[in-house]
Amino acid sequence: MSAPGAGRPARREEGPFHASFVFGRVAGVEIGATWSWLIVVALIVWSLGAAVFPDDVPGLSDGTYAAMAVTATALFFISLLLHELGHAVVARREGMTISGITLWLFGGVARFEGMFPSAMAELRIALAGPAVTLVLAGLFLGAAALPLPDAVDEVVRWLGRINLILLGFNMLPALPLDGGRVLRAIVWQSTGDFTRATRICGALGRLFGNGLVGLGVFLLVFAGAVGGLWLILMGFFLSAAAQAEASLATTRVALGGLKVRDAMVSEPDVLRGDWTVAQFVEGPFARSRHAAYPVLSNGTVGLLSYRDAALVRPDQRRMTRIEQLAVPSSEGLVLAPDDELGDAAIELAQTRLGRALVMDDGRLAGLLSMTDVGRLLELRSPSR
């Protein structure tokens, strides 16, 4: 899977795919995982070692089955990681920035910073991951054709099959799957309308998601298959993710014709970078409790989350300066007053704080938040 969009890069700081812990970096890309990933790892290792491999290759020792399960699970997640790195490498070639790759409950996701620059860029990025998976499936199945020990042969055969299954599922023409992004890129290219393309593919995503939920309920209730529960969970995720992308597209249309300056706060409260955290959280700003504040430090501008400042230990607050915690503008979402508000809203939705600095010729012009956008949307909505 990959991130949504079309336009300027924007930092995606947190969200449903924010890593709970980080393993390290590969080719400069941060690799992490959520806690839900540990549940999946345990379930896969258990099912392979206790059921799948003993049924397919009987007569081996329990230790051998355990080793096969651990090895297969590790290679499976390496396959997922390579799939997402395929997206990341091509995205970099298209001029995008990747904030990281996260392994989670339903596999992996490359977290792109911002929106795709063009329809063809999205097409190339979306196809890169499946291309890697196809190559891996071919390599594993090719290895299974060699004269290998039974244990090794079963592991590579399973990896070949599972990669083909994932490839087939991931290429379904429904957002947020890669197949949905491929279809959106094609519709976007043919119509020139990103919003319309997103709505069409979002509707297909909801259709496929609801179909998976229905199939899962049928298998669970009438066939007694526990795997039906997994289909139900995946269906709910697919439907909700597709709805979220379609909603963002609708918001973009509703904000048509408006600029960032129409919604931004033009004179936000500003912090000085040389202030201590104690001056901030224990001073007059403690009463306002905005989610984030612009920070001015030696002529540069940043953004500080009140929550990040409040999490500093009380005994460290008088020794920690605001500028040490602030996210510099070079790493955060920065908008211009004349940017399209609809595009900016999509970018804001990808950030943890839902806020962006608004800069005009290197000068702080204002602050834009999702609250400001929502308030403007409400004012533009017809009264009931």
Side-chain angles (χ1 to χ4, degrees):
M1 294 187 298
S2 51
R8 171 196 306 98
R11 188 180 185 205
R12 179 176 285 189
E13 296 171 313
E14 269 192 30
F17 304 118
H18 177 66
S20 302
F21 50 91
V22 177
F23 297 120
R25 290 181 176 271
V26 176
V29 178
E30 181 185 273
I31 309 298
T34 66
W35 291 111
S36 63
W37 174 75
L38 295 176
I39 298 174
V40 178
V41 169
L43 286 174
I44 293 177
V45 170
W46 173 78
S47 63
L48 290 178
V52 176
F53 290 154
D55 289 344
D56 292 346
V57 190
L60 302 180
S61 67
D62 291 343
T64 300
Y65 290 133
M68 290 170 63
V70 171
T71 301
T73 302
L75 290 175
F76 168 65
F77 281 103
I78 289 174
S79 297
L80 290 178
L81 178 59
L82 291 174
H83 174 107
E84 299 304 332
L85 282 172
H87 288 309
V89 169
V90 175
R92 277 185 170 176
R93 291 178 181 173
E94 298 293 341
M96 297 186 70
T97 303
I98 297 87
S99 59
I101 292 174
T102 303
L103 299 173
W104 70 304
L105 183 63
F106 294 119
V109 60
R111 295 178 284 117
F112 300 148
E113 297 182 358
M115 304 192 293
F116 298 114
S118 68
M120 296 311 295
E122 178 173 21
L123 180 64
R124 289 187 287 268
I125 294 168
L127 287 174
V132 171
T133 299
L134 180 61
V135 170
L136 289 173
L139 290 174
F140 285 128
L141 292 175
L146 300 175
L148 300 172
D150 289 345
V152 177
D153 180 75
E154 179 58 26
V155 168
V156 295
R157 193 181 303 278
W158 179 83
L159 287 166
R161 291 197 305 265
I162 197 65
N163 272 284
L164 283 179
I165 292 171
L166 288 174
L167 176 63
F169 176 78
N170 209 28
M171 287 307 294
L172 290 174
L175 284 175
L177 302 176
D178 289 334
R181 300 202 183 282
V182 168
L183 180 60
R184 179 172 67 179
I186 293 172
V187 176
W188 179 12
Q189 179 68 18
S190 62
T191 64
D193 189 337
F194 170 79
T195 300
R196 180 183 176 190
T198 302
R199 284 175 169 172
I200 292 172
C201 297
L204 284 173
R206 293 193 300 275
L207 179 64
F208 276 105
N210 293 335
L212 283 177
V213 171
L215 178 60
V217 170
F218 176 83
L219 292 175
L220 189 62
V221 174
F222 296 101
V226 179
L229 182 60
W230 190 249
L231 290 179
I232 293 172
L233 291 174
M234 293 190 70
F236 275 126
F237 161 72
L238 185 60
S239 182
Q243 178 62 48
E245 294 216 21
S247 296
L248 284 176
T250 301
T251 297
R252 192 183 190 196
V253 171
L255 296 172
L258 294 176
K259 305 295 184 182
V260 167
R261 66 170 71 252
D262 295 320
M264 73 181 190
V265 176
S266 57
E267 295 182 1
D269 293 331
V270 179
L271 307 179
R272 283 178 40 180
D274 59 356
W275 286 351
T276 66
V277 172
Q279 288 176 284
F280 173 42
V281 301
E282 299 169 10
F285 286 98
R287 292 191 294 271
S288 60
R289 293 290 180 95
H290 295 309
Y293 296 83
V295 176
L296 293 179
S297 178
N298 298 321
T300 62
V301 184
L303 190 64
L304 176 67
S305 159
Y306 185 91
R307 178 175 178 272
D308 290 344
L311 288 176
V312 176
R313 284 172 21 195
D315 62 330
Q316 296 292 320
R317 290 179 177 177
R318 297 189 183 281
M319 296 179 287
T320 305
R321 297 190 306 277
I322 293 296
E323 61 191 4
Q324 295 175 265
L325 301 177
V327 176
S329 58
S330 60
E331 297 180 15
L333 174 56
V334 177
L335 303 168
D338 290 326
D339 285 344
E340 295 291 335
L341 185 58
D343 291 341
I346 294 177
E347 294 178 298
L348 278 174
Q350 299 179 41
T351 65
R352 170 171 63 97
L353 297 175
R355 280 161 174 75
L357 297 169
V358 183
M359 306 291 291
D360 188 10
D361 292 329
R363 178 184 63 85
L364 178 65
L367 186 70
L368 181 68
S369 72
M370 285 302 296
T371 303
D372 302 324
V373 174
R375 186 179 299 116
L376 189 57
L377 270 174
E378 186 174 341
L379 290 174
R380 284 172 64 91
S381 300
S383 58
R384 297 181 179 180

